């Protein structure tokens, strides 16, 4: 079986590790995440890497460079998933990176730089709605206040980390030293329709859209569904419904914006009781931070207007906000040259989906390689990728590692007095 076939087989094996039987659901610091780290860690060690799990549960495999104080190239993606996920969003990037290191080990080659493959512990933010917990710790941008956040079972993030075997007290010291980093490169499914529409296997990401995630709560008054006249009601669900449709229409009217209400909780939640309290999540994204912020402010205003008119109380809390990030032009250019050698045509496209690259790009030059996925479907079990596209991505990543090795010294890497025999020979 070739490397691409092995990567696909491993996505199948990993997909079986879930917190929900019959579905793929692996949320931050869950029992399934512990099992996923154990399995992927085994694959990393078989590829010649030394592995560790850091204070927040990131799995990290280290493949030493040809000299001990070599700089580090970070590869990887996330191992957590949304609920009822597909099997490629996240894991494909981790397994591709491991396969690239495995190929170096098989050929007994070392690069002038070290490689660290990272399986991030929480990119999706499903459990606490604060995405990127793992990459924020490595980038030194983790907000310690988030440790107090409580999940749907009222477990604090700090306790979840401890239960997982992590250590909240060591989060601060788990950050990477940007001086040691050459860059961060993430291969990820496109989760959109562009590559398929151009009949291309891979593409280069130009930028990652910024996102605002908020919790909105309408509080009215519960009441008897049979005896409360319509004119005397303070129905929190009707207010929320009006708000949700307003969010959809404002996003439709704003080119390039997307707004999504993904979670809705209705209290007390009985068919013959007027809903007294409704909580919902709001996810707003745009490639321009100014536009994203204006959409969010506009929606807050609309929510306040709805609450005022219906004499309800309103609470809006921004739980997570990340600015749009441009990928490194230099690293993306190098990755693009590798694509050109493998696919001839290059397409460069922005990412509406968030990625750990958006956080890692703050401490190191970051580049992303998108891989075509069927009908652009993602965050759904119908997520599907072709083995031959994985082969193209695998060849591109290996080509990229070779060309980065060639440029290593110009990228600030240490000059070799006498290049060691097992230093990778450029095959470009
Ligand atoms: O939500 C996102 O954009 C990503 O899939 N975490
Ligand atoms: Mn995702
Ligand atoms: Mn993802």
């Amino acid at each position: 079986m070739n490397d691409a076939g092995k990567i696909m087989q491993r996505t199948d094996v990993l997909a079986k590790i879930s917190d929900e039987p019959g579905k793929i659901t692996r949320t931050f610091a869950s029992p399934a995440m512990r099992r996923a780290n154990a399995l992927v860690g085994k694959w990393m060690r078989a590829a010649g890497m030394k592995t560790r799990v850091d204070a927040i549960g990131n799995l990290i495999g280290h493949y030493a460079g040809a000299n001990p104080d070599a700089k580090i190239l970070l590869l990887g993606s996330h191992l957590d998933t949304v609920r009822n996920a597909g099997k490629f969003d996240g894991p494909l990037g981790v397994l591709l990176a491991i396969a690239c290191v495995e190929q170096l080990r098989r050929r007994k080659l070392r690069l002038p730089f070290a490689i660290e493959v990272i399986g991030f512990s929480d990119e999706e933010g499903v459990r606490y709605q604060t995405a990127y917990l793992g990459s924020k710790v490595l980038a030194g941008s983790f907000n310690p206040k988030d440790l107090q956040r409580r999940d749907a079972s009222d477990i604090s993030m700090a306790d979840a980390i401890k239960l997982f075997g992590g250590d909240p007290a060591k989060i601060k010291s788990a950050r990477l030293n940007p001086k040691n980093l050459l860059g961060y490169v993430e291969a990820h499914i496109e989760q959109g329709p562009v590559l398929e529409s151009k009949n291309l296997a891979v593409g280069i990401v130009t930028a990652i859209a910024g996102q605002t995630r908020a919790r909105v709560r309408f509080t009215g008054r519960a009441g008897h569904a049979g005896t409360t006249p319509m004119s005397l009601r303070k129905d929190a669900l009707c207010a929320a419904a009006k708000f949700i449709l307003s969010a959809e229409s404002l996003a439709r009217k704003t080119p390039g914006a997307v707004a999504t209400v993904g979670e809705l909780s209705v209290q007390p939640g009985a068919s013959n009781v007027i809903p007294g309290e409704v909580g919902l999540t709001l996810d707003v994204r745009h490639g321009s931070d100014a536009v994203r912020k204006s959409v969010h402010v506009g929606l807050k205003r609309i929510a306040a207007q709805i609450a005022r008119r219906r004499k309800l109380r309103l609470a809006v809390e921004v739980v997570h906000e990340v600015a749009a990030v441009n990928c490194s032009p230099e690293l993306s250019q190098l990755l693009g040259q590798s694509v050109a050698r493998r696919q001839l045509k290059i397409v460069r496209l922005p990412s509406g989906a968030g990625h750990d690259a958006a956080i890692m790009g703050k401490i190191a030059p970051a580049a992303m390689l998108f891989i075509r996925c069927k009908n652009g479907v993602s965050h759904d079990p119908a997520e599907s990728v072709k083995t031959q596209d994985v082969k193209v991505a695998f060849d591109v990543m290996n080509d990229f590692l070779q060309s980065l090795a060639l440029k290593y010294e110009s990228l600030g890497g240490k000059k070799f007095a006498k290049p060691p025999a097992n230093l990778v020979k450029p095959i470009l």
Side-chain angles (χ1 to χ4, degrees):
M1 175 187 299
N2 68 14
D3 293 288
K6 195 170 171 185
I7 293 166
M8 295 296 273
Q9 189 196 47
R10 285 181 167 179
T11 47
D12 286 333
V13 176
L14 182 52
K16 292 187 176 48
I17 297 182
S18 174
D19 293 311
E20 287 187 285
K23 295 176 179 172
I24 304 174
T25 301
R26 281 195 305 273
T27 55
F28 173 61
S30 72
M33 279 303 283
R34 190 200 318 276
R35 296 200 307 276
N37 276 1
L39 175 66
V40 178
K42 204 176 74 192
W43 289 336
M44 285 179 170
R45 288 186 293 277
M49 289 186 255
K50 284 196 173 52
T51 58
R52 65 185 193 274
V53 177
D54 75 3
I56 196 157
N58 293 315
L59 171 66
I60 302 171
H62 183 94
Y63 185 74
N67 66 357
D69 52 358
K71 286 197 172 226
I72 301 170
L73 174 73
L74 301 175
L75 302 176
S77 191
H78 56 97
L79 288 174
D80 69 308
T81 72
V82 293
R83 289 195 204 298
N84 195 21
K87 56 187 168 185
F88 297 101
D89 172 9
L92 182 58
V94 181
L95 298 175
L96 244 169
I98 294 172
C100 291
V101 173
E102 202 153 35
Q103 164 158 245
L104 289 169
R105 186 194 56 80
R106 218 172 30 232
R107 294 168 52 203
K108 296 190 177 43
L109 289 175
R110 291 281 163 192
L111 293 165
F113 45 83
I115 289 181
E116 290 208 337
V117 177
I118 307 171
F120 290 102
S121 59
D122 178 75
E123 186 273 343
E124 299 290 1
V126 169
R127 184 167 182 179
Y128 290 101
Q129 218 197 346
T130 49
Y132 305 136
L133 293 178
S135 40
K136 281 182 179 172
V137 165
L138 294 180
S141 54
F142 177 83
N143 180 352
K145 286 204 199 86
D146 283 337
L147 290 169
Q148 270 67 44
R149 288 190 182 280
R150 309 190 84 84
D151 68 4
S153 320
D154 204 27
I155 299 172
S156 74
M157 191 186 293
D159 287 346
I161 291 168
K162 282 180 227 159
L163 279 167
F164 185 75
D167 182 350
K170 293 206 178 108
I171 280 180
K172 202 165 164 41
S173 57
R175 67 180 299 173
L176 298 176
N177 180 347
K179 287 201 196 71
N180 300 340
L181 304 178
L182 258 186
Y184 171 77
V185 179
E186 178 170 358
H188 196 289
I189 52 171
E190 180 200 342
Q191 299 175 301
V194 174
L195 291 176
E196 195 169 53
S197 69
K198 294 180 181 301
N199 193 23
L200 291 172
V202 297
I204 299 286
V205 177
T206 53
I208 300 164
Q211 47 178 279
T212 303
R213 296 189 187 186
R215 282 191 196 289
V216 178
R217 179 165 297 285
F218 288 97
T219 307
R221 191 177 51 225
H224 195 297
T227 57
T228 316
M230 293 309 283
S231 58
L232 298 181
R233 294 184 175 205
K234 291 188 178 182
D235 186 326
L237 187 52
C238 291
K242 189 148 178 63
F243 173 72
I244 293 166
L245 289 176
S246 311
E248 182 192 44
S249 81
L250 181 57
R252 278 181 189 280
K253 277 188 283 199
T254 313
V258 284
T260 313
V261 173
E263 290 178 43
L264 187 72
S265 65
V266 182
Q267 300 301 332
S271 67
N272 58 352
V273 179
I274 302 164
E277 187 163 297
V278 168
L280 56 89
T281 59
L282 175 65
D283 178 316
V284 175
R285 311 212 189 168
H286 196 279
S288 142
D289 292 334
V291 175
R292 169 174 53 85
K293 288 179 181 167
S294 79
V295 168
H296 178 68
V297 165
L299 289 178
K300 268 197 344 186
R301 205 171 290 130
I302 290 170
Q305 211 176 41
I306 292 170
R308 203 173 31 258
R309 285 196 185 138
R310 294 164 175 260
K311 298 190 181 49
L312 279 78
R313 272 184 297 115
L314 171 72
V316 179
E317 180 204 1
V318 172
V319 181
H320 163 84
E321 183 166 19
V322 175
V325 169
N326 291 319
C327 292
S328 151
E330 297 74 20
L331 221 50
S332 302
Q333 212 234 342
L334 205 58
L335 192 58
Q337 286 162 2
S338 298
V339 170
R341 282 190 284 272
R342 304 287 161 174
Q343 174 177 274
L344 305 179
K345 210 162 154 272
I346 304 189
V347 68
R348 296 176 194 280
L349 63 164
S351 172
H355 300 286
D356 288 301
I359 301 298
M360 301 308 283
K362 305 217 194 299
I363 60 164
M368 282 195 76
L369 181 72
F370 264 173
I371 300 158
R372 171 170 45 186
C373 61
K374 193 159 177 257
N375 305 325
V377 167
S378 180
H379 284 190
D380 183 284
E383 219 170 16
S384 163
V385 169
K386 288 185 203 155
T387 306
Q388 68 256 33
D389 289 352
V390 172
K391 168 114 178 50
V392 173
F394 176 69
D395 291 344
V396 165
M397 290 295 279
N398 284 309
D399 184 300
F400 168 75
L401 291 176
Q402 309 276 355
S403 52
L404 193 64
L406 269 177
K407 287 181 71 80
Y408 177 68
E409 286 159 20
S410 65
L411 286 167
K414 202 164 161 304
K415 207 164 169 52
F416 284 102
K418 186 171 156 300
N422 66 346
L423 179 64
V424 67
K425 306 280 177 293
I427 47 169
L428 305 180

